[in-house]
Amino acid sequence: MKKMELNSGNTIFKKGDPADGLYIVGKGSVGIYFPTNHTMEKPDIVLKANDILGEMGVIDTAPRMATAKALEESVIIFVSTKEFEKKLEGSDMIVRGVMAILSERLRDLQKRR
Amino acid sequence: MKKMELNSGNTIFKKGDPADGLYIVGKGSVGIYFPTNHTMEKPDIVLKANDILGEMGVIDTAPRMATAKALEESVIIFVSTKEFEKKLEGSDMIVRGVMAILSERLRDLQKRR
């Protein structure tokens, strides 16, 4: 896990970036901008402390599908895919099984869109 | 958890049944029949030992979306939503967070279809 301190406007990831983990908002707020948001004046989603972003990065190898920027002075925690997989290994077998099924189904549904 | 012994053709759940947990195939095989499968001669999906079925039952309160039947003498394990939630409580906070996001997103995507 890696702690990152960001200023307002700092980019966390951009659409198309390779995805190798997820982020947790520790302090401050983060805006998510969908590819359809051309002006990028207002974020499509605002995330606050304890919210998770980029979670598809730990269940998929597809590049980032949106752009994320700090909306103010913020602290975010990066959890790599490897670190997440270790956490998952410590979970109950049935929890792991359900996580695997949900991930697969989400990937399927997103491919079809 | 509840162990159930089934004979070939026994129904595990039917489309429209209330959903209060998931099932794991312990022995034998289970067929899943989608609502579009009118003759129900052949299952749309065949599940074998260690496969999970009815997993939407632990993340949603919607009724079953398909029908499941034993295809031969089979043993299946029922895990109630409550039991699953207890297992999840034992998981890492980040694992729980990702599970919650994936569940929410799947519910959203399935509502829109």
Side-chain angles (χ1 to χ4, degrees), chain A residues 55 87 91 105 112-113, chain B residues 55 91 105 112-113:
Chain A
E55 68 288 339
K87 286 175 191 302
S91 291
R105 195 163 311 159
R112 277 191 242 161
R113 290 173 86 195
Chain B
E55 67 287 341
S91 290
R105 196 163 309 159
R112 277 191 242 160
R113 292 173 82 196

Side-chain angles (χ1 to χ4, degrees), chain A residues 1 22 24 52 55-56 58-59 79 84 87-88 91-92 94-95 97-99 101-103 105-106 109-110 112-113, chain B residues 1 22 24 52 55-56 58-59 79 84 87-88 91-92 94-95 97-99 101-103 105-106 109-110 112-113:
Chain A
M1 304 218 280
L22 59 79
I24 304 164
I52 292 173
E55 68 288 339
M56 288 306 287
V58 300
I59 64 164
V79 181
F84 180 76
K87 286 175 191 302
L88 200 54
S91 291
D92 182 272
I94 299 173
V95 171
V98 171
M99 181 79 87
I101 295 177
L102 300 188
S103 302
R105 195 163 311 159
L106 259 182
L109 284 170
Q110 281 176 337
R112 277 191 242 161
R113 290 173 86 195
Chain B
M1 304 219 279
L22 59 77
I24 304 164
I52 292 174
E55 67 287 341
M56 289 306 286
V58 300
I59 64 165
V79 181
F84 181 77
K87 286 174 191 301
L88 201 53
S91 290
D92 181 273
I94 300 173
V95 170
V98 170
M99 181 79 87
I101 295 176
L102 300 188
S103 302
R105 196 163 309 159
L106 259 181
L109 284 170
Q110 281 175 337
R112 277 191 242 160
R113 292 173 82 196

